[in-house]
Amino acid sequence: MHTISIDTESKSYKVHVGSFIYEPALALYEKQIKHADHVVIFVDEAVANLHLDKLLKPLQSFLDTSVHICRLPAGESSKSMETFMACQSFLLEKGCTRKSILFAFGGGACGDVVGFVASTFMRGIPFIQLPTTILAHDSAVGGKTAVNHPQGKNMIGSFYQPEAVIFDISTLATLPNQQVLSGMAEVIKHALISDKNWLEDLLSYQSLENISEEQKLSFLVKGIQVKADIVKADEFEQSVRKYLNLGHTYGHAIEASVGYGNITHGESVAIGLVISLQLSEKLMSLKEGTAKKLFNALNAFGYSFEPVLKQEIDQLIPYMKRDKKASFGDLHFVLLEQIGKPCMKIVPVEEVVRAHEQLRKWSKEVHK
Ligand SMILES: NC(=O)c1ccc[n+]([C@@H]2O[C@H](COP(=O)([O-])OP(=O)(O)OC[C@H]3O[C@@H](n4cnc5c(N)ncnc54)[C@H](O)[C@@H]3O)[C@@H](O)[C@H]2O)c1
Ligand SMILES: [Zn+2]
């Protein structure tokens, strides 16, 4: 079991990563869990059907009281005010107090909504993240919680750190391929902003299926370490935490214009990563050919660039201007001076248009 320390201004805690680790990792928190007056597991419905037993056995082995289980709608649909209220009602009905402890058992969506519930129930109670997707190596760490508003994703939320993160990667075996692609895009992002050799290693695989369990574990640990270092330096996204948005300005625009649910977050980010490298070649000193190399590797992994052919740039620009990083209508991008050296840059609209057109040309060759 690998353990990574997360030290933020507001809290320090550990992320435990490995295969079949619920028993040893939960044992580390036995005292705290036993001390709670109620133990509540909020679980993504799909994850409950596949993996709940794995968690319940070790938990019940040291608990005298029963565990309350509350199933949440699977995936993104749980990130709503309705689910948030339903969770609060569940806690009140069970008689939970500030001495209770919550578990968020599922992907990033479950972690985000349950984190928000934990941060607000009785003004904040402890919770433990139990991520079950590759993407959640990112979302479960760092303390961002949120639900969606009809007018925008993640519009309501808080910064609230968990007591611990226990990431049992044996749960990843049941992930659908699209979710593997989604999560791996954030892993590739972490490599791009931190380490040239790691990136080369990652992109040298011919397909994602060729990555062994052991390699996957090492990539996830590396990704978490990148996030840990950034969150330590800037918990509340005043400076370097913005670098984690590499690929997200254009990616979010693709995600919103294609329509949430039709494309995953990471698949959109993967497209955005290529755009950000194209811009970095043009506006920074990133070595020419890096964007094309990434494009080719992502194609080989199975990412689709068809959305770039379908979406007109005029549809995308308004979304980019509404991005949380935007100010006064300027387009703010995270770019790379070189692999491992991110920076923030205001990018003229015409440069984004040019990158979009170029990516369309590359995509046409692949999708003809
Ligand atoms: N808080 C943060 O810092 C942060 C960072 C990045 C993303 N996010 C958020 O994370 C969310 C995306 O998270 P996600 O990609 O994990 O998606 P998700 O939680 O929506 O899960 C994706 C799908 O996979 C299913 N699933 C989950 N685990 C499974 C498993 N082990 N086996 C089979 N199916 C499983 C879910 O039921 C769902 O249908 C978005 O809402 C995004 O905004 C948050
Ligand atoms: Zn992301």
Side-chain angles (χ1 to χ4, degrees):
M1 183 164 79
H2 294 255
T3 299
I4 301 142
S5 296
I6 312 291
D7 298 304
T8 71
E9 258 173 60
S10 64
K11 196 182 191 98
S12 291
Y13 56 97
K14 307 260 188 257
V15 181
H16 308 281
V17 197
S19 229
F20 300 103
I21 59 165
Y22 286 139
E23 198 179 330
L26 285 166
L28 301 171
Y29 301 92
E30 181 174 333
K31 219 167 145 194
Q32 188 181 3
I33 297 168
K34 269 180 158 169
H35 198 243
D37 60 358
H38 292 275
V39 177
V40 181
I41 301 172
F42 287 109
V43 54
D44 175 296
E45 207 167 17
V47 174
N49 296 335
L50 294 163
H51 301 292
L52 191 55
D53 285 348
K54 273 189 193 158
L55 174 64
L56 281 180
K57 265 195 198 153
L59 202 52
Q60 283 167 337
S61 73
F62 62 73
L63 274 181
D64 309 325
T65 54
S66 67
V67 178
H68 307 296
I69 296 161
C70 180
R71 289 169 188 246
L72 306 182
E76 194 68 22
S77 59
S78 67
K79 275 179 68 170
S80 68
M81 281 311 280
E82 288 73 31
T83 303
F84 171 81
M85 277 303 285
C87 293
Q88 301 283 4
S89 303
F90 185 89
L91 295 177
L92 290 169
E93 277 159 24
K94 298 296 176 197
C96 293
T97 69
R98 274 201 187 140
K99 286 192 174 154
S100 307
I101 188 164
L102 312 184
F103 288 91
F105 190 26
C110 176
D112 276 12
V113 62
V114 175
F116 187 43
V117 169
S119 82
T120 47
F121 183 74
M122 307 230 167
R123 300 201 176 88
I125 62 169
F127 84 115
I128 291 180
Q129 289 268 23
L130 305 167
T132 62
T133 62
I134 296 176
L135 185 131
H137 87 280
D138 181 1
S139 62
V141 179
K144 278 193 187 177
T145 83
V147 295
N148 302 328
H149 186 279
Q151 287 191 36
K153 219 172 118 67
N154 296 331
M155 284 297 145
I156 305 161
S158 59
F159 284 95
Y160 191 69
Q161 305 291 345
E163 297 301 300
V165 181
I166 303 174
F167 190 11
D168 185 336
I169 67 161
S170 76
T171 60
L172 303 178
T174 53
L175 270 186
N177 186 45
Q178 216 188 359
Q179 298 302 334
V180 175
L181 287 172
S182 183
M184 284 307 291
E186 301 281 8
V187 176
I188 294 166
K189 176 197 78 179
H190 284 139
L192 279 165
I193 61 173
S194 69
D195 184 344
K196 188 166 178 270
N197 293 334
W198 175 24
L199 182 76
E200 275 179 10
D201 185 19
L202 250 177
L203 299 188
S204 69
Y205 286 86
Q206 302 302 314
S207 87
L208 293 180
E209 285 97 68
N210 287 352
I211 301 179
S212 67
E213 273 294 291
E214 207 178 313
Q215 271 305 333
K216 201 183 285 168
L217 175 63
S218 121
F219 293 155
L220 290 169
V221 169
K222 277 188 172 153
I224 292 167
Q225 191 61 56
V226 171
K227 182 121 190 202
D229 292 344
I230 286 184
V231 170
K232 181 176 182 181
D234 174 26
E235 181 177 8
F236 300 110
E237 199 165 325
Q238 300 301 308
S239 58
V240 292
R241 190 160 180 175
K242 294 197 173 111
Y243 296 157
L244 294 169
N245 291 315
L246 183 77
H248 282 60
T249 308
Y250 185 93
H252 275 152
I254 286 280
E255 192 177 4
S257 65
V258 170
Y260 297 107
N262 298 321
I263 185 167
T264 61
H265 175 70
E267 287 173 302
S268 322
V269 169
I271 298 172
L273 290 174
V274 177
I275 290 278
S276 63
L277 295 206
Q278 292 170 268
L279 292 169
S280 301
E281 285 181 26
K282 185 75 202 305
L283 304 171
M284 310 303 296
S285 45
L286 186 70
K287 196 172 146 209
E288 220 173 292
T290 315
K292 190 68 196 294
K293 199 170 151 194
L294 179 68
F295 173 80
N296 290 339
L298 292 177
N299 267 297
F301 287 164
Y303 291 90
S304 167
F305 285 82
E306 261 187 71
V308 184
L309 296 174
K310 294 208 176 118
Q311 307 301 311
E312 297 298 332
I313 191 68
D314 292 348
Q315 291 169 273
L316 300 175
I317 298 283
Y319 288 111
M320 291 188 233
K321 288 195 169 161
R322 253 183 273 151
D323 193 82
K324 280 207 230 53
K325 292 183 297 306
S327 55
F328 309 113
D330 282 333
L331 298 179
H332 289 241
F333 273 76
V334 182
L335 298 184
L336 296 180
E337 288 172 45
Q338 49 180 282
I339 302 298
K341 284 229 154 55
C343 59
M344 290 301 298
K345 185 95 182 158
I346 295 176
V347 175
V349 172
E350 55 272 23
E351 290 297 344
V352 181
V353 175
R354 201 202 305 255
H356 174 85
E357 292 307 328
Q358 188 184 36
L359 186 54
R360 276 190 149 188
K361 276 192 199 137
W362 295 351
S363 308
K364 260 185 206 148
E365 282 163 27
V366 174
H367 289 290
K368 65 186 166 201

